[in-house]
Each structure stands twice: as C-alpha cells, then as structure tokens.
Amino acid sequence: MRTKLLLLFFCALAAGACKKENVNSAVLTGKWKLVATYSSNGAQGNWTAVADKKDYDYIQFNADSTLTGNDGFAGFDRYRLKDSVTIAITQAGANRHEYKYELKAGTLTLSPSYPTFCIEGCASRYEKLKN
C-alpha cells in the first residue's frame, strides 16, 4: 500500500512539473525603449545605461503578433511567445531569432539564445513607454 501511495505521489508531482505556465502576451504588448545593455568579458558583467537621445532604440510588440523596431530589430516583423521565458522573432517569415526574456515591474530584459548567443553573457533592458 505504501509503495502505491509513493508511486501516486511521484506521478502527481511529475504531472505538475510538466504543466506549462500561462504566458500573458497582453503585458508584453506596447512600445519598449532601450535603457541599458549588459555585457561581460568572462568576468562579472555590468549593466551600462544607454545615453538618452531623441531617436531612441525601441521595439514594439503589437497584439496581432506583429512587431516593429529599429537598431537590432529593424526588418523583423513578427513574434511568438514560445513559453514563459522564450520569444521567437522572425524576419519576413524566414529568419528566426530566439531570445530569453523576463518581464518584471515594467522592465523587459532580452538575451539572445538562438541562433546567436553570447558565451560570456549579454542582454538588453527596455522600459515600457506609456501610451
């Protein structure tokens, strides 16, 4: 009997661990301004604030899964949330790039994960602009 209870417990635990987290794309939609970049040369990395300028770097995620942006996101036109930590961005339906992302208190952090990535670590931090 004890063995059956343990087996039932572990099956329930495994089923709960496989449950996908619900990704809320509504929080992601909107225009995001680049405010800092992270880089590392193998040692402890640093966040560096981006100089404030009139033509700031941005990315905008729209509710219909389209996106616009400049700098590193120029030419990319669609996005898809793969799961709670990965976003896929495509360029004219052909080239796909994936980023690890984190949304926290009005801040979006993106770090490239496929096909390019940073061995030592790199990321971009964005703040959501008010409409």
Side-chain angles (χ1 to χ4, degrees):
M1 180 69 169
R2 181 179 166 159
T3 305
K4 288 182 182 179
L5 286 175
L6 281 173
L7 181 61
L8 182 61
F9 171 75
F10 285 116
C11 287
L13 184 64
C18 293
K19 190 181 259 185
K20 283 195 173 184
E21 185 177 327
N22 186 15
V23 179
N24 186 357
S25 64
V27 177
L28 183 65
T29 57
K31 193 170 189 176
W32 298 82
K33 176 182 177 181
L34 179 67
V35 294
T37 58
Y38 176 86
S39 62
S40 170
N41 61 3
Q44 178 66 33
N46 297 308
W47 283 101
T48 304
V50 173
D52 202 17
K53 56 186 179 178
K54 182 179 177 185
D55 295 324
Y56 56 84
D57 296 329
Y58 75 94
I59 185 169
Q60 180 167 335
F61 298 95
N62 301 310
D64 64 355
S65 296
T66 60
L67 70 90
T68 56
N70 61 4
D71 193 38
F73 295 101
F76 288 89
D77 58 0
R78 301 201 60 80
Y79 74 94
R80 180 175 64 88
L81 299 178
K82 290 183 67 176
D83 53 40
S84 63
V85 296
T86 310
I87 185 169
I89 298 175
T90 57
Q91 188 175 35
N95 295 328
R96 183 183 91 225
H97 292 262
E98 292 182 3
Y99 292 82
K100 296 296 180 190
Y101 76 95
E102 179 183 41
L103 284 167
K104 187 186 275 185
T107 301
L108 169 66
T109 304
L110 294 173
S111 181
S113 61
Y114 175 83
T116 58
F117 61 92
C118 302
I119 295 171
E120 293 86 11
C122 64
S124 300
R125 186 168 283 161
Y126 298 81
E127 286 182 356
K128 193 167 192 176
L129 297 175
K130 298 192 182 346
N131 294 337

